[in-house]
Amino acid sequence: MEPLGGFNRLDRDFRERRFTEGSPALADHVRLSAYVPPASRTVTGLAEDLDVLIGNLAIWSTPAYGGDSLREKAIAALEERRPEAVPALVQRLEDLLDASARHRERLTWLLRAWDAWYSEGRMLRAEHGGRADTEPYRTVRTETLPPASIRDEYRAPVQLKQGVVEALHRLGDPRAAPVLVSALADRDCVQKAARALRDVRTGEAVPALLDAAARVQPHDRAFDDILGTLRDYGLTPDPARERFEATTSPKGRVTLWHLLVELDEAGDQAPPKSAIRDSLIFLAADVRDGRGSREAVDAVYAMDGRPAPRLQDTDMGALPPADIVHAAIALAARGLPPGHDDELLGSLRRMSHLPEVMQVAQSIITERTAEPDVPLLHLALEFVLGAPPWKLEDRMELVRALHGLISHADSRISARARAALLRDDLLFTQMYDDDAAVRQEATTIFEELATPEDRINCAGYARVHRPSLWRRLLRR
């Protein structure tokens, strides 16, 4: 009987489960049938089969009873077989990166399709009413959507990929340089690949490291490793600035700006922070990324010399302040940021059901300006179309503004203003308000604009919402 047999069995079972975790993804890469029990694992035994050695690179945890992890033992054995080990490791990492890249492409396609479907659906419900069948108006047809199950088709062998990168780093063979550069594009490997390229050097590293920097965020752990490696390569601010100027991705511009600030020791090479204001507004509006949104809001407020605001928690996460939402609507209305305006519009439409967002749109519509911004008005009207009246402030002020916009020269503005006023309950609620002056003004507007269909809708509303006899008596 082995000493502490029960404890060792528990430890073995635990580590075997770790080894087979994500087995659908690992099955193509690791020969699980060749798994050697811990008691018989020695460096000599491990060195007998390169495939088993590479598979063991996924086991980074150390045994509870002490000793090196399987990853450490495998790397030691691979170092003894360097001539044949390096090509095998390079090939395995190329296969792993290729599988991850193909899944990432499919996942990006999936998310874009579903985001476009949701965004268009919200716009069509606002345009045609919440009870209307919007399917005939769709450009993104429901039946063409890819199945959401694509997300679960592949589980990335994260530990195995990272173990192979670490092994190539430790072996330090220059033949590994191209695949380590490729690994910078994989979010699971970027940090370890950036570290490895400090020692396994190549002239292709700097452009790839700048590309990698544009894909991470300043608070990511990989950012410091990318920055450190770029400094080791002697990068000056000029190439980084060229990369910054060529980047349209809001996240990439913000991260590259931070990179430039770190590289600019003289303090005169980095662009002003105002150069990334639009990008920060974009990131602040993406409430799905809670931390990124909060940091972007704080950065905008710091740029303006204001203290960081306290964000309001909603069912969508922490909502940006009203001035940030207003700025985001203005950006999206102008088709900014270039190439990413649809993403920003999608972020705004995901929040459009919130009273705070509707009230920002209302403030845009009721604002008195000599020359109203037509694209901004058009988008703001979308966010009040179908809005429940109780989510709006000073409803009569909005009624007056919409009444004025019905005569707007732009037919799109006129049509949306009329729909917001007469299709939904906004004007009807004012016609049955407790205030006699409000009732009179709203009724006058209705009589001026109403079609026979509007009168039928109003009669239906009145049957349900007509004040009781007691309430009518109290009004007298």
Side-chain angles (χ1 to χ4, degrees):
M1 179 182 294
E2 63 176 11
L4 300 176
F7 177 85
N8 285 341
R9 282 195 299 275
L10 286 173
D11 178 67
R12 180 186 66 231
D13 291 343
F14 168 76
R15 284 182 291 110
E16 287 183 358
R17 282 197 299 272
R18 288 194 68 92
F19 182 77
T20 59
E21 183 182 7
S23 55
L26 287 174
D28 294 335
H29 311 297
V30 183
R31 282 171 39 194
L32 299 180
S33 59
Y35 183 79
V36 182
S40 62
R41 286 192 188 115
T42 64
V43 171
T44 303
L46 286 168
E48 293 176 356
D49 189 341
L50 275 178
D51 203 34
V52 175
L53 284 174
I54 294 173
N56 287 341
L57 291 172
I59 316 299
W60 57 268
S61 58
T62 56
Y65 46 79
D68 293 332
S69 68
L70 286 180
R71 178 179 291 178
E72 289 295 327
K73 292 180 179 179
I75 292 174
L78 288 167
E79 287 178 339
E80 295 179 359
R81 301 177 59 177
R82 182 187 302 265
E84 59 183 329
V86 171
L89 287 166
V90 167
Q91 185 61 55
R92 180 62 65 88
L93 185 55
E94 286 176 348
D95 293 343
L96 292 170
L97 294 176
D98 182 63
S100 294
R102 282 187 279 109
H103 177 68
R104 191 163 57 247
E105 287 175 4
R106 285 173 57 78
L107 192 59
T108 300
W109 166 65
L110 168 76
L111 294 176
R112 283 180 178 168
W114 278 92
D115 281 349
W117 185 84
Y118 277 118
S119 181
E120 184 178 58
R122 288 184 176 92
M123 183 270 291
L124 290 173
R125 284 195 297 274
E127 201 72 39
H128 300 282
R131 292 182 290 273
D133 179 14
T134 58
E135 193 63 29
Y137 305 100
R138 283 189 174 277
T139 59
V140 183
R141 308 293 295 182
T142 301
E143 63 269 17
T144 65
L145 287 171
S149 59
I150 288 176
R151 293 176 300 181
D152 305 319
E153 289 178 357
Y154 173 82
R155 290 185 61 187
V158 177
Q159 302 301 334
L160 181 58
K161 287 192 291 185
Q162 292 179 350
V164 175
V165 172
E166 184 176 336
L168 288 171
H169 182 191
R170 297 265 288 276
L171 268 60
D173 195 297
R175 290 176 293 175
V179 76
L180 290 175
V181 168
S182 299
L184 290 171
D186 189 292
R187 64 183 180 185
D188 298 324
C189 299
V190 58
Q191 185 176 17
K192 286 185 178 293
R195 292 176 184 172
L197 286 168
R198 292 190 187 189
D199 301 316
V200 185
R201 301 178 78 83
T202 171
E204 300 176 357
V206 170
L209 285 163
L210 288 173
D211 290 342
R215 288 187 291 265
V216 302
Q217 296 192 32
H219 61 251
D220 291 343
R221 289 181 295 177
F223 177 81
D224 290 335
D225 288 289
I226 293 171
L227 174 62
T229 303
L230 285 170
R231 280 177 168 157
D232 280 357
Y233 277 79
L235 181 70
T236 61
D238 288 340
R241 179 155 189 150
E242 289 177 8
R243 185 67 175 81
F244 169 80
E245 298 294 348
T247 299
T248 60
S249 161
K251 182 172 73 172
R253 285 181 64 81
V254 170
T255 305
L256 288 169
W257 182 87
H258 281 275
L259 185 75
L260 271 165
V261 170
E262 295 290 340
L263 292 172
D264 183 17
E265 297 179 357
D268 58 356
Q269 296 286 328
K273 199 168 188 178
S274 58
I276 59 168
R277 186 182 186 88
D278 288 356
S279 298
L280 290 170
I281 296 293
F282 176 98
L283 297 176
D286 186 6
V287 294
R288 292 184 296 184
D289 181 5
R291 180 175 178 180
S293 175
R294 287 176 182 270
E295 290 183 352
V297 170
D298 291 348
V300 172
Y301 271 59
M303 191 186 307
D304 297 338
R306 294 181 288 170
R310 183 173 182 176
L311 304 188
Q312 179 179 348
D313 288 325
T314 68
D315 60 342
M316 293 292 295
L319 184 69
D323 61 319
I324 298 288
V325 175
H326 190 295
I329 294 174
L331 275 182
R334 300 200 308 271
L336 299 173
H340 298 271
D341 52 312
D342 284 344
E343 296 175 57
L344 178 56
L345 193 54
S347 296
L348 289 168
R349 284 174 175 160
R350 279 190 290 274
M351 300 187 289
S352 62
H353 67 286
L354 298 173
E356 296 81 3
V357 176
M358 294 178 182
Q359 289 159 19
V360 171
Q362 178 182 349
S363 71
I364 294 171
I365 295 168
T366 57
E367 186 178 3
R368 307 292 182 183
T369 56
E371 296 183 5
D373 184 328
V374 172
L376 180 59
L377 265 179
H378 188 255
L379 184 54
L381 283 165
E382 177 186 319
F383 295 142
V384 298
L385 278 167
W390 59 268
K391 290 188 177 183
L392 300 169
E393 295 178 333
D394 197 346
R395 293 187 289 273
M396 199 60 213
E397 182 186 13
L398 179 59
V399 165
R400 296 185 190 105
L402 292 171
H403 180 219
L405 289 173
I406 287 176
S407 59
H408 197 281
D410 189 305
S411 60
R412 299 176 306 155
I413 300 294
S414 175
R416 281 194 169 182
R418 195 180 195 287
L421 195 58
L422 287 166
R423 190 196 65 202
D424 302 310
D425 296 343
L426 176 60
L427 184 58
F428 301 154
T429 59
Q430 302 309 97
M431 292 169 64
Y432 290 93
D433 193 83
D434 290 340
D435 188 309
V438 169
R439 291 198 306 272
Q440 179 61 42
E441 185 178 1
T443 302
T444 301
I445 293 173
F446 177 77
E447 292 298 335
E448 176 190 335
L449 301 172
T451 64
E453 183 181 356
D454 295 328
R455 295 183 186 280
I456 293 172
N457 292 337
C458 183
Y461 178 89
R463 282 194 297 270
V464 177
H465 298 91
R466 187 175 179 83
S468 64
L469 175 62
W470 175 249
R471 189 164 186 178
R472 292 199 301 272
L473 290 172
L474 287 177
R475 286 178 177 177
R476 294 179 179 177

